[in-house]
Structure formats: C-alpha cells, structure tokens
Amino acid sequence: MSKSTGQKNKTQVQWSSPSNIALVKYWGKHGQQLPRNASVSFTLSHAKTTTRITMEDMEGVAYPAVDFTFEGRQQPLFAQRTVKFINGLTDVCFPFLKGKKLTIDTQNTFPHSSGIASSASGMSALSLCLCDLEMQCNGTTIYDAAFYRKASLIARLGSGSAARSVFPGMSVWGYHKDISGSSDDYGISVADDVAPVFKNFHDDILIISDKTKSVSSTAGHQLMDNNPFAQVRYEQAEKNLTQLMIALKTGDLEILGKITEDEALTLHALMMCSNPSYILMEPASLEVINKIRKFRQKTGIPVYFTLDAGPNVHVLYPHEYVAEVKKFIREDLSQHCVNNHIVEDQVGDGPQKLV
Ligand code: DP6
C-alpha cells in the first residue's frame, strides 16, 4: 500500500512505532548489538515515533543520499546517527539502497526534552520503513511474521531495545531457555502468553527531569564489561525472566511488581558500582518511589514503579484502579515532576503502517 507519487521511481512509506518499557532490563551487550541477557517489555501506546521515507533514484551515489528532518527541522545529531545506521545496512542487508535518495521525516508524540528515550520508537519506525521499502522493491507487500522479525532484527542493530517495539502488547528480546522461539537476533511477541489484566496495563511516566541523560545507554552498556557484578546480574536476569513470564501468564501482580521493582533498582545499583560510577536518580525519584510503596501498603492497590537509565519514574498499575491511582498521582506525585509533567500511557497495539 505504498503511495505512488506519479513517478515510477518514487516510493513513499510511513510507519508509526511506539516506545516500550522493560520489566526485565537489557543492560550489557556484546558483538553486534547482542544482549547479555534476555529482556521483556510492555509496548506502549501513546509515546511513539512516526517516520516517513520517500525513496527515489539518484545517479552516482554508492550510499544513499539522506535528507533527514526531525519535526520539520534539521537535527544534525539525529541525522548523523541515522546516516551511519543506514550506510551500515546498505553494505550488509539492504543493497537496494545504493543509488537512492532518501528523504526522511520523523516526529515524536512526546516532547524531545521530556526525558523519554526515543531510540526504541525511532529506530523501530525507521526499520519498519526500510523493510517495507525493501519489500516494495522486490514487488511484494506481505506484512507477515517474517516481515516483523526482520524489522525487529534491523531495529536491534540501531538500538537494542528497539527490537522489542515492533510487536504489540508485550515482547521478549534475547535467547532464554524457557521461552520458545526467543533469539538474541530479534524480538518475539509474547502477547498471547499474558493474562487479560496486562493487556491494558497503565504506565504513567513521571517526568522528574527533562535534561539530557548524563550517560548514554550505549556508554552504560559498555560499563558492564568491567562491572564486578556483571556475571551475577546476567544470571539473576535469566531467573527473573523465568519467574516474570509465569507471573504474566497467571496474572500474579505481586510477583510481577516485585521483580519489576527489583530490576529497576538493580539497573541503578549497577550504574552506581560501575567505573566511573553514575547516580542517575534524582532526590525526587526516591521520594516518588517511597510514596508509591507507602500508597501500596496503605491501600492494597497493586501499583508499582520502574525506571529506565534516568531519573523518570514509570508508574505501573492495572486498568481497574485507574481512578484511584490517577488521583494519587495528581495529588501526591505530580508536585515532584518538572512543571507537573506526566506522560500518561498504557499497553498498546504496536506499530502501524500509515502509508
Ligand atoms: C535501561 O536500547 O537504549 O532502557 O542498544 O545502546 O541503543 P542501545 O541501548 P538501549 O538500552 C536500553 C536500556 C534500558 C533497559 C531496556 O530497555 O531494556
């Protein structure tokens, strides 16, 4: 369903793809973007990236000539990363890109400065577009499991966590002995293996800081290479994933919540004991975490937190408690956020082909 622009050599595709939030975290990698342990995440709904690529013939270029804009403007840093990624793919996986001009326009539904990682949604949207263009060049348009698997593999090469964003609901990336079909090369959907309570689980993201992260994920992963606790961590992640998959299937919120919180705190503990060390939480992150735990104890409402490699706190809870938890967030937590900023999200249906 690509849009024909009237010229034979011009093809346009557009995809939106969501961000995701990991419950068992990917932290540590090797080789060509291969994970040290398997991870699992909820695919989100509202926080997403939309990318459009227009491809046309261009004579005399070995690598594609890329014209990149982010939200209608030049963005040299994003452009550089995108060009490097696409050039790498042209040699290895996508020779059809040789002799092409690519006009890429991309936008996020969340503000760039909100501190929400955009690499998962950005790289997955871009990869879906590239895989779609490849198919169209081959004269096919079958958006089947093989298509999404390839898109996940390509997305992984751009950013590990992006491998999980191409699937609806919930997905696993990384080989795990108990998860059939799992692979280090690409993510897989595990949406069918989860209890109904998780199909519309909420994730409200408290923006504790909107500053750029003090250490990039890529640098953070590298620090694991010399972290004295790395091996123990990878073994723990494997056990946590085994238990978490059971909790997801049975709908056991208590176990899910305990593992999810342990994973978030472990990720931050690993950064604290890396060399150099980093403290990625802010005082407000800790205040919010303590308040969430007290609220849970007092009310019995199963509300839990997780964090990525930054200070923002993700508040996770089942849909049936939406009124109580949103009131709690509004009255007790929003004061800790930059300009009371909260990104309200929930588990979603995955990427969408728009053109
Ligand atoms: C803490 O996927 O951003 O969010 O592969 O270097 O791009 P790169 O790293 P990235 O790492 C994400 C780490 C995390 C945990 C997770 O999403 O699993």
Side-chain angles (χ1 to χ4, degrees):
M1 281 240 305
S2 79
K3 189 165 127 195
S4 166
T5 52
Q7 290 172 37
K8 254 172 90 183
N9 63 352
K10 208 168 181 175
T11 313
Q12 194 172 80
V13 294
Q14 187 176 30
W15 283 79
S16 73
S17 189
S19 187
N20 68 71
I21 180 69
L23 305 182
V24 172
K25 307 287 183 185
Y26 146 57
W27 200 240
K29 63 178 171 180
H30 65 104
Q32 226 189 343
Q33 289 279 103
L34 297 166
R36 291 284 184 192
N37 63 267
S39 54
V40 64
S41 55
F42 283 133
T43 302
L44 297 178
S45 174
H46 306 309
K48 59 186 178 195
T49 300
T50 298
T51 296
R52 187 180 60 219
I53 305 187
T54 309
M55 183 173 79
E56 33 193 331
D57 290 340
M58 188 176 199
E59 274 174 33
V61 286
Y63 289 102
V66 177
D67 180 4
F68 179 90
T69 48
F70 176 72
E71 293 176 352
R73 293 193 196 156
Q74 306 288 333
Q75 257 279 6
L77 274 181
F78 287 4
Q80 248 172 26
R81 188 171 177 186
T82 306
V83 168
K84 195 170 162 216
F85 174 57
I86 291 178
N87 285 351
L89 294 172
T90 304
D91 286 334
V92 184
C93 328
F94 289 148
F96 77 94
L97 290 174
K98 287 182 182 159
K100 301 287 183 203
K101 177 179 182 213
L102 302 178
T103 306
I104 305 179
D105 182 43
T106 189
Q107 41 207 345
N108 292 341
T109 52
F110 47 93
H112 174 51
S113 60
S114 67
I116 298 178
S118 58
S119 68
S121 54
M123 283 299 174
S124 59
L126 182 61
S127 301
L128 286 155
C129 285
L130 292 170
C131 289
D132 198 353
L133 286 171
E134 183 196 33
M135 262 201 323
Q136 311 231 2
C137 282
N138 294 338
T140 52
T141 45
I142 304 168
Y143 301 96
D144 58 1
F147 170 79
Y148 285 98
R149 182 180 301 166
K150 177 151 189 186
S152 175
L153 185 151
I154 299 294
R156 177 202 108 221
L157 297 172
S159 178
S161 54
R164 298 185 308 243
S165 269
V166 304
F167 303 102
M170 179 133 235
S171 61
V172 164
W173 167 49
Y175 172 74
H176 189 283
K177 61 180 176 33
D178 300 335
I179 304 172
S180 140
S182 61
S183 166
D184 283 355
D185 293 334
Y186 44 78
I188 58 165
S189 170
V190 290
D192 291 343
D193 300 329
V194 307
V197 64
F198 299 119
K199 306 243 181 220
N200 54 0
F201 224 62
H202 286 257
D203 175 11
D204 289 347
I205 310 164
L206 308 183
I207 309 302
I208 303 291
S209 166
D210 56 7
K211 297 205 181 82
T212 314
K213 292 193 278 184
S214 56
V215 58
S216 71
S217 291
T218 303
H221 288 290
Q222 269 162 16
L223 290 172
M224 285 300 279
D225 292 346
N226 292 316
N227 187 305
F229 302 105
Q231 204 45 46
V232 181
R233 157 63 192 158
Y234 303 140
E235 286 160 23
Q236 175 203 49
E238 184 176 309
K239 288 188 191 127
N240 279 348
L241 189 49
T242 298
Q243 276 190 291
L244 194 91
M245 292 308 290
I246 296 169
L248 283 167
K249 199 167 197 153
T250 57
D252 191 328
L253 290 169
E254 215 172 299
I255 294 195
L256 175 117
K258 170 158 178 28
I259 294 173
T260 299
E261 293 191 349
D262 287 353
E263 278 283 319
L265 296 178
T266 300
L267 169 70
H268 282 257
L270 287 165
M271 285 306 281
M272 286 187 201
C273 64
S274 288
N275 187 11
S277 59
Y278 288 93
I279 300 173
L280 301 178
M281 281 193 236
E282 296 284 340
S285 316
L286 285 173
E287 285 205 48
V288 162
I289 286 172
N290 285 329
K291 283 187 177 181
I292 291 172
R293 287 187 157 174
K294 277 194 193 131
F295 175 80
R296 184 167 76 225
Q297 239 168 9
K298 197 175 90 190
T299 62
I301 292 176
V303 49
Y304 301 95
F305 69 84
T306 187
L307 304 103
D308 272 338
N312 298 333
V313 181
H314 291 243
V315 187
L316 303 170
Y317 55 95
H319 185 67
E320 67 170 296
Y321 298 106
V322 73
E324 295 93 323
V325 178
K326 288 214 188 278
K327 182 169 182 281
F328 162 58
I329 290 176
R330 210 171 40 244
E331 291 178 359
D332 291 352
L333 304 184
S334 66
Q335 59 194 273
H336 300 288
C337 303
V338 185
N339 303 323
N340 296 311
H341 189 183
I342 294 154
V343 176
E344 294 176 294
D345 215 329
Q346 68 189 106
V347 172
D349 296 334
Q352 250 189 311
K353 179 170 167 60
L354 304 173
V355 175

